[in-house]
Amino acid sequence: DADVTQTPRNRITKTGKRIMLECSQTKGHDRMYWYRQDPGLGLRLIYYSFDVKDINKGEISDGYSVSRQAQAKFSLSLESAIPNQTALYFCATSDSLTGSRAFFGQGTRLTVV
Amino acid sequence: AQSVSQHNHHVILSEAASLELGCNYSYGGTVNLFWYVQYPGQHLQLLLKYFSGDPLVKGIKGFEAEFIKSKFSFNLRKPSVQWSDTAEYFCAVSSYSGGGADGLTFGKGTHLIIQP
């Protein structure tokens, strides 16, 4: 089983709809991250969480919200999806005690039409 | 704020050619440096990382990278590439602040195509 699991893997949604992307991990890591990948732009950090009570905005948080339901779960929400949020979204985890190597999920391809 | 610059967006090489992908970062403090690879249709995987010690680090699949602090660089190299190295390569940096590591900052990626 994958250490970092994202659901769904693919999603097509309409403009204005609310959508939630979920991430769960079995690594036991305290830190979790949401990134989006766009062609030519690499990965950009949306939100990150250092523990259950800690949520931080990343580089491009506008239009997104997150919830850290438990140490192992970190969900990303688009309250009202728009077409320029079409992208590949990655969840990642890292362990603050052993360094900042990140483990990534397999990605969620989101298309907003 | 830290930033990462990858010099080449697209690189096309023939099999057995030598590879060097450039990466420069801007940050004045202690950093950890990474190279990730994304094969077509797959998620990112760690190729190699530098935390401290020997500035020449070796990773999986014959890749290596050299950290040159004075040049703020962390270039990725491979002496002889294979067709299976076709992928997107990302350089990334994380900085240390307040006793812990922050999120990763990625470069925009280099799309490497190896021709048979």
Side-chain angles (χ1 to χ4, degrees):
Chain A
D1 289 340
D3 295 321
V4 184
T5 303
Q6 292 183 231
T7 56
R9 293 291 311 280
N10 290 282
R11 181 71 180 268
I12 301 173
T13 192
K14 293 183 178 180
T15 298
K17 292 290 186 181
R18 183 179 188 275
I19 183 170
M20 179 183 289
L21 308 183
E22 298 187 348
C23 177
S24 62
Q25 51 118 345
T26 58
K27 299 292 292 182
H29 289 168
D30 52 351
R31 299 182 173 202
M32 298 186 73
Y33 310 82
W34 274 104
Y35 293 88
R36 65 177 279 177
Q37 181 182 7
D38 299 277
L41 296 178
L43 282 89
R44 292 179 292 168
L45 181 63
I46 306 173
Y47 270 96
Y48 61 103
S49 169
F50 283 176
D51 64 39
V52 175
K53 296 179 181 179
D54 177 82
I55 301 290
N56 305 282
K57 291 182 177 181
E59 180 184 354
I60 52 162
S61 58
D62 288 348
Y64 301 94
S65 62
V66 292
S67 174
R68 186 81 183 266
Q69 301 95 325
Q71 187 188 38
K73 295 184 182 295
F74 191 40
S75 59
L76 176 72
S77 294
L78 286 68
E79 297 301 326
S80 179
I82 56 177
N84 77 359
Q85 291 177 313
T86 294
L88 186 58
Y89 290 84
F90 286 99
C91 176
T93 73
S94 69
D95 182 351
S96 60
L97 295 179
T98 61
S100 57
R101 175 187 171 177
F103 291 81
F104 285 84
Q106 292 189 304
T108 296
R109 185 166 295 282
L110 176 66
T111 304
V112 183
V113 298
Chain B
Q2 60 204 26
S3 65
V4 179
S5 174
Q6 291 184 235
H7 307 160
N8 312 99
H9 295 301
H10 296 277
V11 174
I12 301 175
L13 295 173
S14 299
E15 279 193 312
S18 64
L19 169 72
E20 181 161 2
L21 302 182
C23 173
N24 287 92
Y25 68 94
S26 65
Y27 184 73
T30 302
V31 293
N32 293 336
L33 297 159
F34 308 81
W35 275 98
Y36 284 89
V37 60
Q38 184 178 23
Y39 297 103
Q42 299 186 26
H43 62 286
L44 279 84
Q45 302 171 43
L46 181 67
L47 265 181
L48 48 79
K49 63 183 185 291
Y50 172 80
F51 282 4
S52 64
D54 188 343
L56 183 63
V57 292
K58 295 188 183 299
I60 61 171
K61 304 186 180 186
F63 285 91
E64 64 179 32
E66 185 175 12
F67 171 52
I68 304 180
K69 189 174 181 180
S70 62
K71 295 184 178 180
F72 296 90
S73 70
F74 190 57
N75 292 354
L76 180 71
R77 300 195 291 249
K78 186 171 184 178
S80 177
V81 294
Q82 301 171 314
W83 177 79
S84 58
D85 292 325
T86 294
E88 190 94 15
Y89 292 81
F90 293 93
C91 181
V93 61
S94 72
S95 59
Y96 271 85
S97 62
D102 297 323
L104 291 169
T105 299
F106 284 84
K108 294 184 177 181
T110 297
H111 188 198
L112 175 65
I113 297 174
I114 307 299
Q115 297 176 331

